[in-house]
Amino acid sequence: MKKAVGWIVLVLIIFYIGTNPGPASEIAQGIGDGIAEVFRNIGVFLRELSD
């Protein structure tokens, strides 16, 4: 069941990207920015630990 749901979600994501590339790219950029911010904050934390 989990495998089927995973495939359905993947197909829906691909369909969404194919039919709405503009908003989909904004969502992907937002996710990427969020991940980058997490890694920046981890770097600041580690740098502060070493001071």
Side-chain angles (χ1 to χ4, degrees), residues 22-38:
S25 68
E26 291 172 8
I27 291 170
Q29 185 176 12
I31 291 170
D33 290 343
I35 292 170
E37 184 68 24
V38 167

Side-chain angles (χ1 to χ4, degrees), residues 2-47:
K2 280 185 179 181
K3 207 173 205 180
V5 171
W7 280 107
I8 291 170
V9 169
L10 180 64
V11 168
L12 288 174
I13 289 171
I14 292 170
F15 177 75
Y16 179 72
I17 291 171
T19 57
N20 298 310
S25 68
E26 291 172 8
I27 291 170
Q29 185 176 12
I31 291 170
D33 290 343
I35 292 170
E37 184 68 24
V38 167
F39 282 107
R40 269 195 295 285
N41 290 336
I42 290 171
V44 169
F45 173 74
L46 294 174
R47 188 175 60 239

